PDB file of all heavy atoms in Angstrom:
ATOM      1  N   ARG A 106     -20.250 -12.491  -6.965  1.00 79.00           N
ATOM      2  CA  ARG A 106     -19.562 -13.744  -6.670  1.00 79.00           C
ATOM      3  C   ARG A 106     -19.827 -14.202  -5.239  1.00 79.00           C
ATOM      4  O   ARG A 106     -20.097 -15.382  -4.983  1.00 79.00           O
ATOM      5  CB  ARG A 106     -18.058 -13.581  -6.882  1.00 79.00           C
ATOM      6  CG  ARG A 106     -17.253 -14.852  -6.625  1.00 79.00           C
ATOM      7  CD  ARG A 106     -15.766 -14.595  -6.660  1.00 79.00           C
ATOM      8  NE  ARG A 106     -15.321 -13.831  -5.498  1.00 79.00           N
ATOM      9  CZ  ARG A 106     -15.056 -14.363  -4.322  1.00 79.00           C
ATOM     10  NH1 ARG A 106     -15.228 -15.651  -4.113  1.00 79.00           N
ATOM     11  NH2 ARG A 106     -14.633 -13.608  -3.326  1.00 79.00           N
ATOM     12  N   VAL A 107     -19.752 -13.273  -4.285  1.00 79.00           N
ATOM     13  CA  VAL A 107     -19.877 -13.630  -2.872  1.00 79.00           C
ATOM     14  C   VAL A 107     -21.323 -13.908  -2.480  1.00 79.00           C
ATOM     15  O   VAL A 107     -21.610 -14.861  -1.740  1.00 79.00           O
ATOM     16  CB  VAL A 107     -19.288 -12.510  -1.995  1.00 79.00           C
ATOM     17  CG1 VAL A 107     -19.562 -12.783  -0.519  1.00 79.00           C
ATOM     18  CG2 VAL A 107     -17.790 -12.373  -2.245  1.00 79.00           C
ATOM     19  N   GLY A 109     -24.046 -14.319  -4.625  1.00 71.00           N
ATOM     20  CA  GLY A 109     -24.839 -15.121  -5.543  1.00 71.00           C
ATOM     21  C   GLY A 109     -25.792 -14.279  -6.378  1.00 71.00           C
ATOM     22  O   GLY A 109     -25.999 -13.098  -6.147  1.00 71.00           O
ATOM     23  N   GLY A 110     -26.377 -14.906  -7.387  1.00 68.00           N
ATOM     24  CA  GLY A 110     -27.301 -14.236  -8.291  1.00 68.00           C
ATOM     25  C   GLY A 110     -28.029 -15.287  -9.103  1.00 68.00           C
ATOM     26  O   GLY A 110     -27.943 -16.491  -8.800  1.00 68.00           O
ATOM     27  N   PRO A 111     -28.756 -14.882 -10.148  1.00 71.00           N
ATOM     28  CA  PRO A 111     -29.531 -15.855 -10.949  1.00 71.00           C
ATOM     29  C   PRO A 111     -28.684 -17.008 -11.476  1.00 71.00           C
ATOM     30  O   PRO A 111     -29.170 -18.131 -11.605  1.00 71.00           O
ATOM     31  CB  PRO A 111     -30.074 -14.994 -12.103  1.00 71.00           C
ATOM     32  CG  PRO A 111     -30.078 -13.609 -11.565  1.00 71.00           C
ATOM     33  CD  PRO A 111     -28.917 -13.507 -10.625  1.00 71.00           C
ATOM     34  N   LEU A 112     -27.402 -16.733 -11.802  1.00 63.00           N
ATOM     35  CA  LEU A 112     -26.552 -17.790 -12.352  1.00 63.00           C
ATOM     36  C   LEU A 112     -25.647 -18.417 -11.302  1.00 63.00           C
ATOM     37  O   LEU A 112     -24.906 -19.352 -11.603  1.00 63.00           O
ATOM     38  CB  LEU A 112     -25.686 -17.217 -13.491  1.00 63.00           C
ATOM     39  CG  LEU A 112     -26.440 -16.675 -14.700  1.00 63.00           C
ATOM     40  CD1 LEU A 112     -25.464 -16.078 -15.704  1.00 63.00           C
ATOM     41  CD2 LEU A 112     -27.235 -17.796 -15.365  1.00 63.00           C
ATOM     42  N   GLY A 113     -25.660 -17.878 -10.076  1.00 60.00           N
ATOM     43  CA  GLY A 113     -24.678 -18.329  -9.107  1.00 60.00           C
ATOM     44  C   GLY A 113     -25.236 -18.827  -7.793  1.00 60.00           C
ATOM     45  O   GLY A 113     -24.498 -18.942  -6.814  1.00 60.00           O
ATOM     46  N   GLU A 114     -26.518 -19.159  -7.728  1.00 68.00           N
ATOM     47  CA  GLU A 114     -27.118 -19.595  -6.463  1.00 68.00           C
ATOM     48  C   GLU A 114     -26.625 -20.988  -6.077  1.00 68.00           C
ATOM     49  O   GLU A 114     -26.609 -21.908  -6.897  1.00 68.00           O
ATOM     50  CB  GLU A 114     -28.638 -19.581  -6.572  1.00 68.00           C
ATOM     51  CG  GLU A 114     -29.205 -18.170  -6.724  1.00 68.00           C
ATOM     52  CD  GLU A 114     -30.721 -18.179  -6.863  1.00 68.00           C
ATOM     53  OE1 GLU A 114     -31.285 -19.287  -6.909  1.00 68.00           O
ATOM     54  OE2 GLU A 114     -31.321 -17.100  -6.946  1.00 68.00           O
ATOM     55  N   ASP A 115     -26.227 -21.134  -4.800  1.00 70.00           N
ATOM     56  CA  ASP A 115     -25.805 -22.414  -4.233  1.00 70.00           C
ATOM     57  C   ASP A 115     -24.585 -23.008  -4.927  1.00 70.00           C
ATOM     58  O   ASP A 115     -24.375 -24.230  -4.914  1.00 70.00           O
ATOM     59  CB  ASP A 115     -26.956 -23.442  -4.284  1.00 70.00           C
ATOM     60  CG  ASP A 115     -28.174 -22.962  -3.502  1.00 70.00           C
ATOM     61  OD1 ASP A 115     -27.976 -22.317  -2.452  1.00 70.00           O
ATOM     62  OD2 ASP A 115     -29.297 -23.221  -3.956  1.00 70.00           O
ATOM     63  N   LEU A 116     -23.762 -22.161  -5.545  1.00 73.00           N
ATOM     64  CA  LEU A 116     -22.547 -22.655  -6.191  1.00 73.00           C
ATOM     65  C   LEU A 116     -21.337 -22.348  -5.319  1.00 73.00           C
ATOM     66  O   LEU A 116     -21.389 -21.492  -4.437  1.00 73.00           O
ATOM     67  CB  LEU A 116     -22.366 -21.993  -7.571  1.00 73.00           C
ATOM     68  CG  LEU A 116     -23.465 -22.268  -8.596  1.00 73.00           C
ATOM     69  CD1 LEU A 116     -23.148 -21.550  -9.903  1.00 73.00           C
ATOM     70  CD2 LEU A 116     -23.631 -23.764  -8.833  1.00 73.00           C
ATOM     71  N   ASP A 117     -20.255 -23.052  -5.567  1.00 75.00           N
ATOM     72  CA  ASP A 117     -19.009 -22.797  -4.852  1.00 75.00           C
ATOM     73  C   ASP A 117     -18.520 -21.382  -5.153  1.00 75.00           C
ATOM     74  O   ASP A 117     -18.553 -20.941  -6.309  1.00 75.00           O
ATOM     75  CB  ASP A 117     -17.945 -23.822  -5.285  1.00 75.00           C
ATOM     76  CG  ASP A 117     -16.688 -23.733  -4.443  1.00 75.00           C
ATOM     77  OD1 ASP A 117     -15.844 -22.864  -4.746  1.00 75.00           O
ATOM     78  OD2 ASP A 117     -16.537 -24.511  -3.495  1.00 75.00           O
ATOM     79  N   LEU A 118     -18.065 -20.648  -4.114  1.00 77.00           N
ATOM     80  CA  LEU A 118     -17.676 -19.258  -4.303  1.00 77.00           C
ATOM     81  C   LEU A 118     -16.423 -19.097  -5.154  1.00 77.00           C
ATOM     82  O   LEU A 118     -16.246 -18.083  -5.821  1.00 77.00           O
ATOM     83  CB  LEU A 118     -17.442 -18.589  -2.937  1.00 77.00           C
ATOM     84  CG  LEU A 118     -18.658 -18.450  -2.028  1.00 77.00           C
ATOM     85  CD1 LEU A 118     -18.271 -17.746  -0.737  1.00 77.00           C
ATOM     86  CD2 LEU A 118     -19.770 -17.681  -2.740  1.00 77.00           C
ATOM     87  N   LEU A 119     -15.552 -20.099  -5.122  1.00 81.00           N
ATOM     88  CA  LEU A 119     -14.288 -19.985  -5.844  1.00 81.00           C
ATOM     89  C   LEU A 119     -14.264 -20.768  -7.148  1.00 81.00           C
ATOM     90  O   LEU A 119     -13.572 -20.385  -8.085  1.00 81.00           O
ATOM     91  CB  LEU A 119     -13.133 -20.449  -4.943  1.00 81.00           C
ATOM     92  CG  LEU A 119     -12.886 -19.599  -3.706  1.00 81.00           C
ATOM     93  CD1 LEU A 119     -11.771 -20.202  -2.863  1.00 81.00           C
ATOM     94  CD2 LEU A 119     -12.534 -18.168  -4.087  1.00 81.00           C
ATOM     95  N   HIS A 120     -15.003 -21.871  -7.194  1.00 80.00           N
ATOM     96  CA  HIS A 120     -15.031 -22.695  -8.409  1.00 80.00           C
ATOM     97  C   HIS A 120     -16.492 -23.024  -8.729  1.00 80.00           C
ATOM     98  O   HIS A 120     -16.951 -24.153  -8.521  1.00 80.00           O
ATOM     99  CB  HIS A 120     -14.234 -23.986  -8.210  1.00 80.00           C
ATOM    100  CG  HIS A 120     -12.816 -23.759  -7.783  1.00 80.00           C
ATOM    101  ND1 HIS A 120     -12.422 -23.761  -6.473  1.00 80.00           N
ATOM    102  CD2 HIS A 120     -11.705 -23.498  -8.513  1.00 80.00           C
ATOM    103  CE1 HIS A 120     -11.120 -23.537  -6.399  1.00 80.00           C
ATOM    104  NE2 HIS A 120     -10.655 -23.365  -7.626  1.00 80.00           N
ATOM    105  N   PRO A 121     -17.255 -22.042  -9.229  1.00 78.00           N
ATOM    106  CA  PRO A 121     -18.700 -22.235  -9.406  1.00 78.00           C
ATOM    107  C   PRO A 121     -19.068 -23.254 -10.475  1.00 78.00           C
ATOM    108  O   PRO A 121     -20.040 -23.992 -10.325  1.00 78.00           O
ATOM    109  CB  PRO A 121     -19.195 -20.833  -9.773  1.00 78.00           C
ATOM    110  CG  PRO A 121     -17.996 -20.151 -10.342  1.00 78.00           C
ATOM    111  CD  PRO A 121     -16.825 -20.682  -9.591  1.00 78.00           C
ATOM    112  N   GLY A 122     -18.297 -23.282 -11.574  1.00 73.00           N
ATOM    113  CA  GLY A 122     -18.643 -24.204 -12.652  1.00 73.00           C
ATOM    114  C   GLY A 122     -19.958 -23.820 -13.306  1.00 73.00           C
ATOM    115  O   GLY A 122     -20.337 -22.650 -13.350  1.00 73.00           O
ATOM    116  N   GLU A 123     -20.692 -24.828 -13.845  1.00 72.00           N
ATOM    117  CA  GLU A 123     -21.995 -24.658 -14.509  1.00 72.00           C
ATOM    118  C   GLU A 123     -21.966 -23.524 -15.538  1.00 72.00           C
ATOM    119  O   GLU A 123     -21.205 -23.575 -16.492  1.00 72.00           O
ATOM    120  CB  GLU A 123     -23.095 -24.450 -13.459  1.00 72.00           C
ATOM    121  CG  GLU A 123     -23.282 -25.675 -12.560  1.00 72.00           C
ATOM    122  CD  GLU A 123     -24.513 -25.597 -11.701  1.00 72.00           C
ATOM    123  OE1 GLU A 123     -25.337 -24.661 -11.878  1.00 72.00           O
ATOM    124  OE2 GLU A 123     -24.693 -26.486 -10.836  1.00 72.00           O
ATOM    125  N   ALA A 124     -22.756 -22.460 -15.330  1.00 71.00           N
ATOM    126  CA  ALA A 124     -22.822 -21.386 -16.324  1.00 71.00           C
ATOM    127  C   ALA A 124     -21.492 -20.650 -16.468  1.00 71.00           C
ATOM    128  O   ALA A 124     -21.241 -19.995 -17.486  1.00 71.00           O
ATOM    129  CB  ALA A 124     -23.917 -20.401 -15.945  1.00 71.00           C
ATOM    130  N   PHE A 125     -20.632 -20.750 -15.447  1.00 74.00           N
ATOM    131  CA  PHE A 125     -19.335 -20.091 -15.494  1.00 74.00           C
ATOM    132  C   PHE A 125     -18.256 -21.002 -16.081  1.00 74.00           C
ATOM    133  O   PHE A 125     -17.081 -20.674 -16.056  1.00 74.00           O
ATOM    134  CB  PHE A 125     -18.924 -19.646 -14.082  1.00 74.00           C
ATOM    135  CG  PHE A 125     -19.855 -18.629 -13.503  1.00 74.00           C
ATOM    136  CD1 PHE A 125     -20.916 -19.024 -12.690  1.00 74.00           C
ATOM    137  CD2 PHE A 125     -19.699 -17.279 -13.794  1.00 74.00           C
ATOM    138  CE1 PHE A 125     -21.780 -18.084 -12.163  1.00 74.00           C
ATOM    139  CE2 PHE A 125     -20.567 -16.338 -13.268  1.00 74.00           C
ATOM    140  CZ  PHE A 125     -21.616 -16.740 -12.448  1.00 74.00           C
TER     141      PHE A 125
END
Side-chain angles (χ1 to χ4, degrees):
R106 181 188 71 83
V107 173
L112 298 177
E114 293 179 356
D115 300 324
L116 298 180
D117 188 277
L118 295 181
L119 295 177
H120 304 94
E123 296 191 8
F125 297 94

